[in-house]
Amino acid sequence: MTAPVAMHMSDGLLNTPTTVLFLGVAVIGVAIAAVKARADLDDRAAPMAGLVAAFVFATQMLNFPVLAGVSGHLLGGALAAILVGPWVGALCVSIVLVVQALLFSDGGLTALGANITNMALIGTAAGFGVALALKRLAARGKAGLVAVSFIAALVNTVVAALGFVIEFAIGGDAAFSLGTVAATVLGVHVLIGIGEGVITALTVGAVAAARPDLVYLLRGTAKPLELRGKAAA
Amino acid sequence: MGHAHLLHRPGDTPVHRLAPQVKVVAALAFVLCVVTTPRTAFWAFGVHLALLAGVWVIARVPPGWLAARALIEAPFVVLALLLPFLSGGPAVDVLGVSLSQTGLLVGWNILAKGTLGVLTSLTLAATTSPRDLLVGLQRLRVPSMVITIATLMLRYLEVIAAEAQRMRLARVCRGHNPRFLWQAGATARSVGTLFIRSYERGERVHLAMVSRGWTGRMPETGTPAPTRAWVAGLAPALLAGLAVAGTTLWP
């Protein structure tokens, strides 16, 4: 199983100023998402948000080593954004990363800021941006929605990996050349992105078939119920 | 969340009883000190490890129990071991093998800091139940919406695992008998169904929680941590900080 995001970094991979910088970026981003999410999170959406978070959590458990201190895995940001919206989605992925770091020791505590920036903020934003741009295709039918989910998840994974490369360029250890890092990380994440795209497409397709009312991306696209004859009271 | 937890080791020691918000802040501060330690100050890493070992003794967590769970780090560090062979720069001879000096140092840096970081989070997880951790985050003024989603997430992890188990059982009952990795194919194809089944069950779980008076926040029990608890909890991080400061005097 996989989720959409690029990578977890462990402690000690980035230097302290970079760590602090991206911690600040993450805190501001999550605070904005928390404010915006309030409008989206009603009683019906709360269990969906919790389940999306749990699902992303489960899929992020599969890790592949990419470089020393870096592992790649599914990210889940596109899945979260399509099902619960970008704000709640970013919150869900952030929560997954925080709980993983605190309870499961996955990803360094000090790299949390950079990890949240990549996977929860950049990745989710990219995935949702793609999905929004292709919304008309997604609203056309199941095949369209599945295709859009796949593309959004693939873009999400690669863009999140790109975020990591930028952070590494700013404050990474100079033992690796930037070119090697970029090529390795992006190459691996194109492959992961395809896996991620398949899982996201399967999941979104199943949800849209059973409960289209739960898919955030499809809000406002449902055809109004057609009433024939005026006798119905 | 009163269920057994893989990484939690229930107990009744001073570390277990310490207020969770203190433990979260202390763990973060400690790892920050570890990351700030210069990589050539080898003795400081020994101090950090000794401080952690002191906490394990007080918390009665056996090192073997931690070591088994620290293997989660393996994918991160396995490539750190290759660095001495792959990096350039001045070479040193170790046991007749020519290794890159920079590579050795960078690999050591990632290995030491990553391992200490994992051991710190494991110590936090071993002595703090998931429920207490949520209470701790709530007392640190984490927005209540985040607490709501996190609570549901931890509950739903078990829902998903149970539904996956039920679906596997149903497949086996119908004569599906895959071995080892071949199970993955069927699991991947049914991932969408798993999601819907988990959602519908999760919806009922949520309604049951709401009808029992759940408002999205963890019920607050106990009083705010006294200054004494903060001092005791932050002592290891403070000592680690002193060690980091000491590295400027004795590099």
Side-chain angles (χ1 to χ4, degrees), chain B residues 170-184:
Chain B
R171 285 199 302 272
V172 172
C173 289
R174 285 169 178 79
H176 184 244
N177 186 21
R179 295 191 188 272
F180 192 50
L181 277 177
W182 310 127
Q183 294 191 22

Side-chain angles (χ1 to χ4, degrees), chain B residues 35-188:
Chain B
V35 173
T36 323
T37 310
R39 60 193 182 192
T40 46
F42 301 110
W43 64 269
F45 290 105
V47 172
H48 297 330
L49 187 62
L51 287 169
L52 275 181
V55 176
W56 300 337
V57 170
I58 300 173
R60 297 206 192 113
V61 184
W65 189 88
L66 282 166
R69 282 153 184 83
L71 284 178
I72 195 166
E73 192 202 16
F76 287 100
V77 296
V78 67
L79 288 167
L81 299 177
L82 294 176
L83 279 178
F85 301 97
L86 300 178
S87 306
V92 280
D93 278 343
V94 179
L95 301 173
V97 185
S98 172
L99 299 175
S100 153
Q101 210 171 355
T102 351
L104 272 178
L105 273 182
V106 174
W108 153 256
N109 191 41
I110 291 171
L111 189 66
K113 292 181 179 178
T115 308
L116 285 169
V118 166
L119 288 175
T120 309
S121 341
L122 278 176
T123 311
L124 175 66
T127 58
T128 319
S129 70
R131 187 202 168 273
D132 280 345
L133 194 77
L134 290 173
V135 171
L137 290 176
Q138 184 170 299
R139 289 188 193 152
L140 290 172
R141 319 255 158 150
V142 170
S144 64
M145 192 164 29
V146 172
I147 301 290
T148 306
I149 299 178
T151 311
L152 286 171
M153 180 186 90
L154 288 173
R155 240 162 235 256
Y156 287 169
L157 277 176
E158 286 164 44
V159 172
I160 293 179
E163 283 301 320
Q165 188 56 33
R166 265 182 219 110
M167 287 168 65
R168 200 190 75 88
L169 199 63
R171 285 199 302 272
V172 172
C173 289
R174 285 169 178 79
H176 184 244
N177 186 21
R179 295 191 188 272
F180 192 50
L181 277 177
W182 310 127
Q183 294 191 22
T187 310

Side-chain angles (χ1 to χ4, degrees), chain A residues 175-193:
Chain A
F176 308 99
S177 77
L178 192 59
T180 321
V181 171
T184 321
V185 168
L186 290 180
V188 170
H189 282 86
V190 168
L191 292 180
I192 294 180

